[in-house]
Amino acid sequence: MHAFYADHFVLPLPPGHRFPMAKYARLRERLAQELPGIELHEALPATDGELALVHTPAYIDAIAHGTLAPALQREIGFPWSPAMAERARRSVGATLQAARQVMAQGGVAANLAGGTHHAYADKGGGFCVFNDFAVAARLMQAEHARQRGRAPLRVAIIDLDVHQGNGTARIFADDPSVFTLSLHGARNFPFRKEPSDLDVELPDGCADAEYLDAVDRALDELAHRFEPGLVLYLAGADPHEGDRLGRLKVSFDGLEARDRRVMDWAWQRRLPVVMAMGGGYGHDLEVTVQVQVNSYRVAHEYHLRHLRRAAPAATVA
C-alpha cells in the first residue's frame, strides 16, 4: 500500500497556535515503525494546471506570491509564508499521487494529510488552502476521459470529518458526476454550511451506536443514489471523544468500526479508495495520532485483501 506525505514542509506558526502541525510527522513515524507494509513516499507538488482544474487563476497566484487579501488569509487560519504555499501544493499532490496509484492498480492508497474540504474555488478556510479531493476528482476524470470507449468517471466523496465539507459541496453543487456525502456535527464549524448531495447532521455528544447507525444509513443511501468508479474517503479523527473541536463522543473502537464500514462498502463494489486524514485536534496529540494509525491499519488490511484477490497465487507481504 502506498502513502504520500509532506510533513517536512512545516509552517512557521506563532506560539500557541491551535493547529497540530506536529501530528503529521508523528503519524509517519508511527506508520514506519508499526506498519512496514505501507510504502511511504514524499509528495510531489501539484502544478498550476492541476490546481486550475478547480481553483481560479487569481487565487492560485495569490497563494503563490503572498498577495491574498488579509481578511482572506485570516479565514484560512495560517499566516502566509513560502512554506505555507509549498505545503499546500504538496498536500494536494499527495492526494493526486494516491489517486493515480489506485486508478492504475486498484486497492487503497492514502495521503498522510489532506482532506482540505473547506477550500472553495476562489478562497480557503478552516486551515484548508486548496481542496485536494476536488482537484483529485477533476484530474482523475480528465485522465480517465483520455481513454477511448470508457464511460465518464463518477466519483463518490465520503467525508466523515466532524466538520462539514462546505468547500467541496459548493465546488460540486451542480455536477452529477461527483456525489458529496458529509456526516458532521450539526452545531460545529462551518456555521454556514453548503448543501452536499447528502448531509447527515449529528447532535453534540453523539456516541458510537448513534454514530455508526448514521454511517450505515448514509452508505445505504449513497448506494441507492449513485454508482461511483472511485471513492475519496476523508477519515477525520475529530469525531473522537478526546478531540478539542469535535463535540462528539465516538470511541477508538467506534472510529475503527466506521473505517471498516467504509472499506467494506468499497470492497463489496471492488472500488479503488483514496484515503486522507482530515481533522484531528485532540487534547493529547498522541490520541489523535492513534486514531489515524488505526485508520491506516484498517486501510492496509483492505489493500492486502485487494492484492490477494488480484493475484491469488502470489505471496502478499
Side-chain angles (χ1 to χ4, degrees):
M1 176 179 161
H2 295 268
F4 301 86
Y5 65 88
D7 58 77
H8 50 305
F9 294 92
V10 177
L11 305 189
L13 297 176
H17 196 285
R18 65 180 179 174
F19 188 75
M21 187 62 65
K23 75 176 181 178
Y24 300 103
R26 182 59 180 148
L27 174 61
R28 179 163 59 92
E29 292 170 0
R30 290 279 306 275
L31 294 180
Q33 294 166 1
E34 300 173 31
L35 292 171
I38 296 177
E39 296 185 31
L40 299 169
H41 309 275
E42 179 180 314
L44 299 173
T47 66
D48 283 356
E50 290 165 344
L51 294 174
L53 292 169
V54 168
H55 296 286
T56 64
Y59 180 59
I60 296 168
D61 184 75
I63 292 298
H65 298 102
T67 58
L68 197 64
L72 293 177
Q73 191 69 51
R74 288 193 298 271
E75 192 171 345
I76 290 173
F78 297 137
W80 186 87
S81 67
M84 187 219 82
E86 183 67 15
R87 180 183 181 275
R89 286 180 179 270
R90 300 269 178 166
S91 186
V92 175
T95 296
L96 299 184
Q97 288 174 266
R100 284 181 166 136
Q101 178 70 32
V102 298
M103 289 301 293
Q105 299 185 11
V108 185
N111 182 349
L112 269 65
T116 47
H117 58 167
H118 298 311
Y120 288 64
D122 59 350
K123 67 174 186 174
F127 306 136
C128 301
V129 182
F130 299 120
N131 193 310
D132 65 317
F133 271 14
V135 176
R138 286 282 183 250
L139 183 63
M140 292 308 99
Q141 288 179 324
E143 293 184 349
H144 186 85
R146 293 174 190 159
Q147 303 179 44
R148 293 182 179 179
R150 302 189 74 171
L153 179 66
R154 290 158 62 84
V155 181
I157 296 177
I158 300 176
D159 186 337
L160 303 189
D161 191 277
V162 80
H163 304 109
Q164 197 231 17
N166 55 332
T168 308
R170 171 63 73 86
I171 288 166
F172 296 115
D174 299 313
D175 187 344
S177 71
V178 178
F179 191 99
T180 53
L181 185 167
S182 182
L183 189 88
H184 53 264
R187 299 174 58 195
N188 214 320
F189 178 90
F191 301 108
R192 180 181 177 182
K193 296 175 172 60
E194 303 281 354
S196 307
D197 291 299
L198 175 58
D199 284 302
V200 179
E201 295 194 327
L202 303 169
D204 288 0
C206 177
D208 288 9
E210 183 178 4
Y211 183 77
L212 293 173
D213 180 65
V215 171
D216 287 337
R217 288 186 285 107
L219 292 174
D220 286 346
E221 185 168 348
L222 171 57
H224 179 70
R225 294 172 53 185
F226 193 78
E227 293 184 8
L230 171 66
V231 172
L232 305 180
Y233 173 41
L234 205 172
D238 44 15
H240 187 259
E241 59 191 347
D243 198 87
R244 289 181 289 125
L245 305 181
R247 303 174 69 160
L248 304 188
K249 297 294 181 183
V250 185
S251 69
F252 282 120
D253 289 345
L255 289 175
E256 181 175 338
R258 172 202 69 176
D259 295 335
R260 291 190 181 280
R261 280 162 163 76
V262 174
M263 293 296 169
D264 271 333
W265 191 93
W267 166 256
Q268 290 164 12
R269 293 160 178 80
R270 302 299 188 261
L271 296 172
V273 178
V274 174
M275 185 176 76
M277 291 292 93
Y281 309 91
H283 294 283
D284 182 342
L285 180 71
E286 290 298 326
V287 169
T288 296
V289 172
Q290 186 62 58
V291 173
Q292 295 176 330
V293 169
N294 293 347
S295 292
Y296 265 91
R297 186 172 289 110
V298 171
H300 183 237
E301 177 185 323
Y302 279 83
H303 183 71
L304 292 180
R305 184 184 294 186
H306 162 77
L307 293 182
R308 294 187 182 102
R309 179 181 63 85
T315 300
V316 179

